[in-house]
Amino acid sequence: MSKVLINILGGDNSLRFNAADKARTDVNKTLVRLGYQETQIVYPSNLSKLHAIIKHLHEIGKAIPKIRRQRPEDIIIQYPGYRLGTRAIQLITRMLKKRHVTLLIHDIDSLRMFGQISKREISIMNSVSRLLVHTPAMKKYLQQNGVSTPMTILGCFDYYAEGECIINSCINSCASPDYSIVFAGNLKKSEFLYKIKETLSPHNLFLYGLPVEYEWPNGISYEGKFHPDQINGIKGDWGLVWDGDSLSTCTGQMGDYLKFNASHKASLYIASGKPQIVWNESALAEFIVQNNLGIAVSSLEEIPQRLKSITDAKYTEILQNIKKFQQLVRNGGMLEVALNSPPE
């Protein structure tokens, strides 16, 4: 008996090590460590679309019989896949016929893009024996929309990183002007950033991501980009998880998606030793507050007063909890705990 991990990849035959694929590469690392044998099914992106689809279907046709012959006790598929995505996984799950198949959900594309899960994605999720989902809110949403497959909640994603495991510490009080915030991500689409002027004063804001043509006001500093595995030098005492074009709430499709998913940004902050500032309507808010890993706010305007009200003792307590979870996420612990937890 064996355990199998299925990865649907692009034409380079490997998971790409960049920020977009960081969560998948880290899942891969954990599962291989736990004894899963990886099967790669490649979408050959160097061919024309028609030839690529034909080749991809041929690769699926070869891989599935080999997996069946192994009689695996557990099969995990990282969901969704590359290019053909849900269609390819739909075919694979039909061929495997619910043979102890788990879908590890990274994204629900229809929910993320259109605000409602599609019938195809519901059908795929009901064709397997278990789902690994981000949050209780995601589980509840899927159940309300017809997904009956047993689910296990991940909580937050793991985040492997190089170098010494460092926890930031603030020697000054939370009211200090030196107390700073970091936001890492797609700066172009994070439209709320362009409305920040004095909102976070006196707390400086450090930004990381691809550069944009914009002159940031005083108190906001663009710090460039970083390799996703090399995060110990990231500035800032608190990590911000926010989306949309508003300072008063999270808005738009990606803002709404925060009500269900566990943003990988939060895992980055935990791995780098930073408490979180999250939207109080996000699915992550429950995880962050219950585990005392940061604060949840309804608007960015609340942040200065909320940080000012946190005592040094409270901040130290938060950092101690961050350290515990930092050890987990930097070593694949969140996924390992979830895999050993019974689905519900």
Side-chain angles (χ1 to χ4, degrees):
M1 301 291 281
S2 63
K3 298 184 290 186
V4 173
L5 164 64
I6 297 178
N7 283 318
I8 301 175
L9 310 175
D12 59 359
N13 277 14
S14 65
L15 290 169
R16 293 167 292 165
F17 283 82
N18 57 41
D21 292 312
K22 172 66 173 167
R24 291 174 180 267
T25 61
D26 287 349
V27 164
N28 203 69
K29 187 179 295 186
T30 299
L31 292 179
V32 169
R33 173 173 64 80
L34 294 176
Y36 284 78
Q37 300 175 23
E38 183 187 9
T39 294
Q40 296 182 350
I41 301 177
V42 178
Y43 182 96
S45 52
N46 59 329
L47 301 178
S48 68
K49 184 175 181 180
L50 177 60
H51 287 87
I53 291 173
I54 293 172
K55 177 68 172 175
H56 192 45
L57 293 175
H58 179 66
E59 291 296 320
I60 293 172
K62 288 196 307 180
I64 300 306
K66 291 181 181 179
I67 293 173
R68 283 178 180 161
R69 286 195 291 270
Q70 296 178 48
R71 300 181 64 191
E73 59 185 317
D74 192 21
I75 301 171
I76 293 181
I77 303 175
Q78 297 211 60
Y79 179 94
Y82 180 81
R83 292 299 286 270
L84 289 185
T86 56
R87 289 178 176 86
I89 291 178
Q90 188 173 39
L91 175 60
I92 290 169
T93 56
R94 284 176 178 173
M95 295 175 72
L96 289 172
K97 296 179 180 178
K98 226 170 187 177
R99 292 169 180 257
H100 308 290
V101 176
T102 295
L103 292 186
L104 192 156
I105 308 296
H106 287 280
D107 273 311
I108 304 173
D109 282 341
S110 55
L111 177 60
R112 177 174 60 90
M113 297 171 63
F114 307 112
Q116 177 67 39
I117 189 171
S118 67
K119 291 181 179 179
R120 174 184 286 118
E121 293 206 80
I122 293 171
S123 175
I124 294 169
M125 292 181 189
N126 279 331
S127 69
V128 298
S129 56
R130 180 173 63 161
L131 301 175
L132 281 172
V133 300
H134 298 196
T135 63
M138 180 177 283
K139 175 184 175 181
K140 182 178 180 180
Y141 176 84
L142 293 176
Q143 290 174 332
Q144 290 176 337
N145 284 270
V147 177
S148 58
T149 301
M151 305 181 205
T152 301
I153 295 168
L154 185 59
C156 76
F157 281 92
D158 293 308
Y159 197 109
Y160 286 88
E162 298 175 359
E164 183 183 356
C165 191
I166 297 173
I167 286 286
N168 285 354
S169 61
C170 180
I171 60 174
N172 300 311
S173 72
C174 290
S176 167
D178 296 328
Y179 218 75
S180 57
I181 299 166
V182 59
F183 179 85
N186 187 328
L187 304 182
K188 185 175 182 180
K189 82 171 183 65
S190 303
E191 298 179 34
F192 71 91
L193 292 171
Y194 303 94
K195 298 182 179 180
I196 295 177
K197 293 180 182 178
E198 300 300 323
T199 300
L200 299 179
S201 180
H203 305 287
N204 292 327
L205 176 63
F206 297 114
L207 303 179
Y208 290 89
L210 293 176
V212 294
E213 292 185 8
Y214 184 75
E215 188 172 340
W216 300 105
N218 290 337
I220 301 180
S221 175
Y222 173 65
E223 299 294 326
K225 55 185 180 178
F226 55 87
H227 190 284
D229 290 336
Q230 298 168 358
I231 62 173
N232 285 338
I234 296 175
K235 297 180 180 180
D237 301 302
W238 291 78
L240 176 63
V241 182
W242 202 261
D243 217 323
D245 63 359
S246 174
L247 302 180
S248 59
T249 189
C250 287
T251 59
Q253 291 178 352
M254 296 310 297
D256 286 341
Y257 194 49
L258 286 177
K259 295 178 180 178
F260 309 104
N261 80 318
S263 172
H264 198 241
K265 202 187 310 292
S267 300
L268 160 66
Y269 297 146
I270 292 173
S272 61
K274 304 183 193 305
Q276 315 278 299
I277 302 171
V278 300
W279 183 35
N280 66 351
E281 294 185 41
S282 69
L284 267 175
E286 180 181 356
F287 178 81
I288 295 299
V289 172
Q290 284 188 353
N291 290 291
N292 200 15
L293 301 173
I295 61 173
V297 298
S298 62
S299 71
L300 296 183
E301 286 94 339
E302 289 181 28
I303 292 175
Q305 188 60 40
R306 288 291 302 277
L307 294 186
K308 186 177 181 179
S309 69
I310 297 175
T311 65
D312 291 343
K314 178 65 174 176
Y315 184 68
T316 299
E317 182 184 343
I318 291 174
L319 286 183
Q320 289 172 344
N321 291 320
I322 287 286
K323 186 173 183 178
K324 294 176 186 176
F325 276 87
Q326 187 186 49
Q327 295 289 344
L328 283 172
V329 302
R330 289 180 70 133
N331 293 283
M334 297 301 296
L335 178 54
E336 188 168 358
V337 168
L339 289 174
N340 291 323
S341 301
E344 300 177 358

